[in-house]
Amino acid sequence: MNRRSVALGVAVLAVVLLVCGGTVGLPLVMFGLAQAEAAACEVPSLPGSSPIPGAGAWGGAETTNAATIVAVGRQRQVPPRGYVIALATAMQESTLRNLANANVPESLTLPHEGVGRDHDSVGLFQQRPGWGSVRERMTPTYAAGKFYEVLLRVDGWERMRLTDAAQAVQRSGYPEEYQKWEDDAEQLAARVLGLPNIGDIGGGAPSAPCGTDDLGPVPVGPGGWVQPIRATIVSPFGQRGGRLHAGVDMSKADVRGDAIRAASTGVVEQVKCDWYTTCDRDGNTSQRGCGWYVDIRHPGGIVTRYCHMIQRPEVSIGQRVTAGTVIGFVGNSGGSSGPHLHFEVHLNVPPGPYHANGGNAVDPEPWMRARGVPLGIRS
């Protein structure tokens, strides 16, 4: 670890102690005490006065604000994924600066790191009057606390795409803009916590709490096959609107983010986002295709396909996987009406990618049942 990293870590610890220490615990836990909060534990907010050196592309003021956001999350016992969502939101809303607003005269009299003009929004999260007074919204610990307070009321937020979780809190006119900050937010959260990777404590994108290995093994049938997910068949194999629905759709309540497993041992043949869809976001029925998907080739010319993943799959082309390996997570990308796994089985597929098609697709339901691993109950 270099001297810069040590300095950053020590400074962040100081902010964590300021925000989360026992002497300020009561004001932080109680609501409506922004002034006591600011007096007791607020870190400096004037340009050039930040106690934390810059991290990566972010300057000292921005990194100080990031450390405050993370520290408030820790004090409130928010899961680490929440730190990343909060940081990405503040990156989009204010580039991690505590902004005053030219339309809000009071804000110009308070410590700030820049001036915006977006309606009557102020602070790190560009919160409007319904979030609190001007002074409260420009108090970084208060603003972060209010963000977390609303985030934690969003059902299933930990399993959402980052932009969907952020949008559920912010109600922005540009809901997809938060997603582009995910990598930056993950890296900065790790830096301020002194970790090599935020995924080490479960702060990464929807997945297993501590990585895919944490999901553990699953029982494999006598033929070497396993259910790709445990869910109900909501749409069967067969003709649909004059076109072949070449697999089965599997879903259940709160399925978004569930692990998808390789149905049998094989080699990953395709990892792709369909060119005519937009991945890393929810699709809809006006789009076409699988969104993020994986093809696995198994012995005997068998190929299985797994569609509509929430994000880039966890495997790569050429990788050998065993039955039950987590290859991705359930999402709603591509031509999809809601979060589910579209699962296909293809037989007698010639060697090479792109040969699994409607002509060699078979109904996965009876095929998997014959191998001792029925897929579920049709709704």
Side-chain angles (χ1 to χ4, degrees):
M1 182 178 291
N2 58 35
R3 292 182 181 178
R4 182 179 178 83
S5 298
V6 171
L8 176 61
V10 171
V12 170
L13 178 60
V15 171
V16 172
L17 290 174
L18 279 170
V19 177
C20 303
T23 60
V24 299
L26 184 59
L28 280 172
V29 170
M30 295 176 66
F31 294 99
L33 292 182
Q35 292 184 346
E37 194 180 326
C41 65
E42 196 62 59
V43 295
S45 186
L46 295 173
S49 67
S50 302
I52 299 181
W58 303 100
E62 292 87 349
T63 305
T64 296
N65 290 329
T68 299
I69 290 169
V70 170
V72 172
R74 293 186 67 184
Q75 191 273 335
R76 291 174 175 250
Q77 298 184 323
V78 175
R81 178 63 177 168
Y83 314 160
V84 176
I85 295 169
L87 288 175
T89 302
M91 288 174 177
Q92 171 61 27
E93 296 290 353
S94 67
T95 59
L96 281 173
R97 294 175 301 151
N98 193 24
L99 296 180
N101 190 319
N103 301 319
V104 184
E106 182 185 350
S107 70
L108 300 172
T109 69
L110 299 170
H112 58 276
E113 298 150 355
V115 179
R117 295 179 178 274
D118 183 12
H119 299 288
D120 47 12
S121 302
V122 298
L124 291 173
F125 296 91
Q126 289 294 278
Q127 292 160 337
R128 302 192 70 180
W131 291 82
S133 70
V134 175
R135 180 176 293 275
E136 285 173 332
R137 288 177 284 142
M138 291 192 65
T139 301
T141 49
Y142 175 91
K146 292 299 288 187
F147 179 88
Y148 287 128
E149 180 183 325
V150 177
L151 177 67
L152 294 176
R153 293 202 300 262
V154 176
D155 186 36
W157 67 268
E158 288 179 84
R159 304 172 79 172
M160 293 179 176
R161 290 186 312 139
L162 182 146
T163 200
D164 295 331
Q167 174 65 359
V169 177
Q170 298 292 106
R171 304 297 183 186
S172 169
Y174 304 94
E176 286 296 326
E177 291 301 304
Y178 302 108
Q179 191 65 40
K180 66 187 178 187
W181 296 105
E182 183 165 29
D183 290 345
D184 294 67
E186 289 183 355
Q187 292 168 17
L188 188 54
R191 286 291 300 274
V192 300
L193 288 169
L195 299 171
N197 192 313
I198 194 65
D200 293 346
I201 59 171
S207 62
C210 298
T212 56
D213 291 343
D214 190 61
L215 289 166
V218 293
V220 179
W225 290 77
V226 63
Q227 290 185 7
I229 64 170
R230 294 186 178 276
T232 299
I233 295 176
V234 295
S235 184
F237 177 92
Q239 292 297 318
R240 179 193 292 172
R243 299 181 59 186
L244 177 65
H245 185 235
V248 294
D249 292 345
M250 304 176 67
S251 189
K252 63 180 181 179
D254 201 25
V255 75
R256 187 192 292 269
D258 276 9
I260 301 170
R261 299 178 181 272
S264 188
T265 296
V267 175
V268 177
E269 189 167 76
Q270 191 60 263
V271 174
K272 184 176 175 65
C273 173
D274 285 346
W275 67 270
Y276 43 76
T277 66
T278 301
C279 293
D280 294 323
R281 61 181 296 178
D282 283 352
N284 55 66
T285 54
S286 66
Q287 295 179 348
R288 299 179 57 195
C290 271
W292 280 116
Y293 76 95
V294 169
D295 284 355
I296 299 176
R297 182 173 288 272
H298 311 279
I302 301 169
V303 172
T304 53
R305 175 169 293 169
Y306 313 77
C307 297
H308 307 307
M309 294 186 184
I310 197 169
Q311 62 191 29
R312 178 177 290 278
E314 302 292 313
V315 291
S316 55
I317 294 175
Q319 179 179 338
R320 181 175 177 80
V321 295
T322 58
T325 298
V326 176
I327 61 173
F329 299 90
V330 175
N332 190 30
S333 58
S336 173
S337 60
H340 71 281
L341 169 66
H342 174 87
F343 175 62
E344 298 180 6
V345 175
H346 299 260
L347 304 182
N348 303 314
V349 182
Y354 304 113
H355 294 306
N357 54 49
N360 48 42
V362 299
D363 188 343
E365 189 176 6
W367 199 86
M368 292 290 283
R369 187 187 308 117
R371 279 143 192 83
V373 282
L375 290 178
I377 301 172
R378 185 181 303 177
S379 63

